[in-house]
Amino acid sequence: MATSVLLACGLNEQKLPGFVHISEESNVDGSFLISCILGQRLRISNAGILLVCLQHHYKHYFNAGMRLGYNTNIFLGKTLDVIDVLRDMACQGLKSKWLCCPQGLSLTEQLVVDIRAQLEKNYASRSSYTILIDNLSILFNLGASKLQVQQFCQSLADLAKEHENLTVITKLSNSDIHTLTDNNVAKLGDVRIQVLRMKSGVFREVDGKLLIERVLDEGSYSCEQSRKEVLYKVNDRNVKIFNPGEIGVKV
Amino acid sequence: MLSNLVVTNQKVVLIIDQLNRERIALKFIGSLLHEQGEGAEVKSLPIGTQLQHVASFDAFLNELSNNNNNNASAQSPGEPTIKPSYNVILPTLADLLSYQTPAYIFDYLNKLRRSDHVRRVFLWASPAHLQHVDADYILAGCEYLAELVLRLETETTLALISRKPGGGVSNKRYNCQVSKTEFQVSPLMESKEAKEATIEEDNVKAADPGGTFKIELDEDEMVARNALTLPYEQHNKEPTEGNIIYTPDADDDFDDEDPDEDLLI
């Protein structure tokens, strides 16, 4: 269902890079990537996943997963753990720890504490562990400053360095507006996936473009990088990818 | 090699990177020092979340002075005293600004500059990563403190501003060839072709003033204009001595006698 897109992004392997960042331009939706990655990680036996829901609540990922051919509820509480910030806020209102900051911690600091707690609980018993953050730009809406978001990502990157089999995957929407934050988060990892809109406008058969940048080798004075560009189309039950120029106007 | 230009007597070195190479900043500076045989005397601050603790900055300063004192005491009394000192590589300015205020960073940079135990301080700044609202001013402040500013402008050019202790400042630009392991530089010579291109460009600009009058010249008009000698130019062509050219008239009556003979000059 989503193998081709993961293959194009180089995220279909069992061991993923330590830090992967997805930059999503304005007016495009890259949420399908999170669902694709989630499905791929759930299929690996004994691979732990922590889903931090900031843009959508858990139900969204469940529904998206059902369309892509996997059931998250089977794994929930076993290999899949969820920090559902939006649901907590909706259920508990202003008493929610994300809003009232009971220990004097900011939202991002509280998130780091919770993520660390989950990691300590589950990491030892899993063959690998993946933390999915969807998405960072919601933190701005919830009152976090740019510096706090940067510090949050730095903490996540430190976690990835501390744990060998840990992968952190972040997504930031409106990356063209939050350029500096986007650059600073992207530099923490070796893989950056940019979800871009079509420059030529809207096209029925293609939704947008994925630009995948991967650092192959860090030299003393320059980096060796690979860049790959593919077009994508999100259908009802799958995601298709095309090479640039493969699809044309049919007369 | 770039290291010959950067690893000099200047103490505070600022590298302004406009090419987004921030991820290899530490490696880059480390390689420069290694090329100059100073790779063993490098100290760097811890990076990442540890930067939020002011104590780690102070501990780093103490560590520098303690190491130096230990090294000095290890020397035998007969040996000439060599003042040991370190090359300090600071975290990138973007990382520093994530955790500390600009005032603290400037203060710390100044402390390092004044420290006897520090031979050189390296600071890396990538404008594309500076998130602070006053990033431009902070970068200007760092440039003010730095004695050597290396600006990586493009893949093939760089600029180097060097402030000497006597007050002299030199601003030079270089061509560069970068590979993964080598950074070769050569002084940037403005080639004849480049100059001609600039002149042509100027002419094109002058030819298109955006007005309704035709003030540009054709090639023929240009030749004609250059061939025309203007009156003041004619004057210049004549011999500089004050010769009087007189054409005698038919009715002129010349007196052979000298009218001033009686003056006994």
Side-chain angles (χ1 to χ4, degrees):
Chain A
M1 300 289 178
T3 320
S4 56
V5 72
L6 291 173
L7 196 69
C9 297
L11 300 177
N12 58 327
E13 292 157 20
Q14 284 220 351
K15 178 148 174 53
L16 296 180
F19 196 98
V20 178
H21 179 58
I22 301 167
S23 311
E24 188 184 271
E25 216 178 19
S26 306
N27 295 330
V28 284
D29 189 2
S31 294
F32 69 93
L33 275 173
I34 295 289
S35 295
C36 292
I37 295 166
L38 182 62
Q40 191 262 352
R41 299 315 289 172
L42 285 174
R43 284 192 182 98
I44 299 170
S45 66
N46 203 31
I49 300 143
L50 174 62
L51 179 63
V52 181
C53 308
L54 288 164
Q55 186 173 6
H56 307 287
H57 52 74
Y58 169 71
K59 274 279 176 197
H60 166 86
Y61 299 97
F62 167 73
N63 291 330
M66 291 305 282
R67 283 181 178 276
L68 288 172
Y70 63 88
N71 185 349
T72 52
N73 278 347
I74 297 171
F75 304 96
L76 190 62
K78 294 168 191 164
T79 56
L80 173 65
D81 294 294
V82 177
I83 297 177
D84 203 339
V85 177
L86 291 185
R87 187 176 167 279
D88 291 351
M89 284 182 184
C91 293
Q92 297 164 19
L94 291 173
K95 287 178 186 168
S96 156
K97 65 179 174 182
W98 310 110
L99 293 175
C100 69
C101 311
Q103 294 164 340
L105 297 173
S106 66
L107 171 68
T108 50
E109 287 167 340
Q110 184 65 54
L111 266 176
V112 172
V113 169
D114 281 28
I115 290 169
R116 268 190 185 277
Q118 287 283 351
L119 192 63
E120 277 166 23
K121 198 172 83 180
N122 298 316
Y123 181 75
S125 58
R126 303 284 170 222
S127 59
S128 64
Y129 205 77
T130 309
I131 301 172
L132 285 162
I133 316 276
D134 185 26
N135 96 38
L136 294 172
S137 58
I138 303 300
L139 293 172
F140 296 128
N141 301 343
L142 294 174
S145 67
K146 286 177 181 176
L147 273 185
Q148 283 175 334
V149 173
Q150 197 176 325
Q151 287 171 3
F152 172 62
C153 293
Q154 188 75 56
S155 306
L156 295 175
D158 282 1
L159 280 180
K161 280 177 196 161
E162 287 165 20
H163 300 82
E164 198 190 341
N165 292 321
L166 175 67
T167 300
V168 177
I169 299 174
T170 56
K171 193 185 88 174
L172 178 79
S173 44
N174 298 329
S175 60
D176 46 343
I177 297 169
H178 308 296
T179 318
L180 289 171
T181 306
D182 191 43
N183 286 341
N184 280 318
V185 179
K187 83 169 180 194
L188 298 172
D190 289 340
V191 180
R192 180 188 199 176
I193 302 167
Q194 294 186 61
V195 188
L196 308 167
R197 59 176 175 263
M198 302 284 285
K199 281 202 175 66
S200 50
V202 181
F203 183 36
R204 191 165 52 99
E205 290 179 47
V206 175
D207 286 339
K209 192 165 67 175
L210 294 177
L211 178 62
I212 302 122
E213 292 171 318
R214 184 181 278 260
V215 176
L216 300 175
D217 186 19
E218 285 184 1
S220 303
Y221 295 115
S222 68
C223 282
E224 190 185 339
Q225 270 189 329
S226 73
R227 284 165 66 92
K228 190 176 179 182
E229 210 176 282
V230 289
L231 306 174
Y232 71 87
K233 169 73 182 169
V234 182
N235 293 317
D236 207 21
R237 292 184 179 276
N238 60 17
V239 183
K240 281 189 174 175
I241 62 158
F242 313 96
N243 288 321
E246 192 179 325
I247 291 225
V249 178
K250 288 168 193 158
V251 182
Chain B
M1 285 194 296
L2 179 67
S3 59
N4 293 334
L5 301 172
V6 175
V7 184
T8 57
N9 289 330
Q10 268 81 5
K11 197 164 181 179
V12 183
V13 181
L14 172 68
I15 301 175
I16 300 174
D17 158 47
Q18 293 173 328
L19 301 173
N20 222 352
R21 288 192 186 132
E22 179 146 320
R23 69 166 64 239
I24 54 162
L26 292 181
K27 263 191 177 181
F28 191 103
I29 298 166
S31 303
L32 291 176
L33 290 166
H34 189 74
E35 278 177 12
Q36 294 298 314
E38 301 201 20
E41 297 142 350
V42 176
K43 292 270 176 191
S44 51
L45 265 166
I47 53 170
T49 46
Q50 289 184 44
L51 288 174
Q52 65 189 307
H53 307 297
V54 174
S56 63
F57 286 82
D58 296 335
F60 181 71
L61 267 181
N62 290 335
E63 186 193 336
L64 289 177
S65 58
N66 288 342
N67 282 353
N68 276 334
N69 293 338
N70 291 341
N71 290 342
S73 59
Q75 281 180 345
S76 58
E79 284 180 25
T81 316
I82 302 166
K83 207 176 205 178
S85 55
Y86 293 102
N87 291 298
V88 175
I89 305 176
L90 289 173
T92 62
L93 187 58
D95 285 351
L96 285 171
L97 283 170
S98 302
Y99 295 100
Q100 297 297 339
T101 60
Y104 185 81
I105 295 167
F106 287 137
D107 183 41
Y108 193 71
L109 199 55
N110 213 20
K111 275 182 192 166
L112 287 172
R113 192 173 68 156
R114 289 181 176 186
S115 171
D116 292 334
H117 313 300
V118 176
R119 194 182 300 166
R120 284 179 211 94
V121 186
F122 291 89
L123 178 63
W124 185 284
S126 298
H129 288 87
L130 296 178
Q131 190 132 235
H132 201 279
V133 283
D134 298 321
D136 291 343
Y137 295 105
I138 294 164
L139 191 56
C142 291
E143 280 190 63
Y144 176 75
L145 280 174
E147 289 159 11
L148 191 78
V149 181
L150 169 67
R151 192 182 288 272
L152 302 171
E153 292 174 340
T154 63
E155 291 287 347
T156 53
T157 56
L158 59 89
L160 196 70
I161 299 172
S162 170
R163 294 194 186 92
K164 286 165 187 144
V169 178
S170 70
N171 185 358
K172 291 177 183 165
R173 297 187 73 227
Y174 295 87
N175 275 322
C176 55
Q177 276 189 326
V178 188
S179 68
K180 272 200 289 188
T181 53
E182 277 189 342
F183 202 118
Q184 299 288 349
V185 290
S186 57
L188 187 69
M189 304 291 281
E190 281 210 25
S191 63
K192 199 181 169 185
E193 286 170 13
K195 276 183 184 171
E196 279 173 5
T198 317
I199 290 165
E200 256 179 42
E201 200 174 294
D202 290 345
N203 287 341
V204 170
K205 276 181 192 167
D208 185 22
T212 51
F213 296 103
K214 176 184 174 295
I215 58 168
E216 69 270 25
L217 298 174
D218 297 338
E219 199 177 335
D220 296 341
E221 288 169 335
M222 185 76 82
V223 170
R225 193 185 74 166
N226 291 340
L228 180 69
T229 313
L230 296 169
Y232 70 90
E233 289 172 330
Q234 271 180 349
H235 192 72
N236 289 341
K237 278 181 185 174
E238 285 168 5
T240 49
E241 289 171 21
N243 295 335
I244 299 169
I245 301 162
Y246 180 73
T247 312
D249 221 13
D251 301 333
D252 277 352
D253 179 22
F254 287 101
D255 194 354
D256 291 337
E257 286 180 14
D258 184 5
D260 299 329
E261 193 178 12
D262 57 329
L263 295 177
L264 299 173
I265 297 170

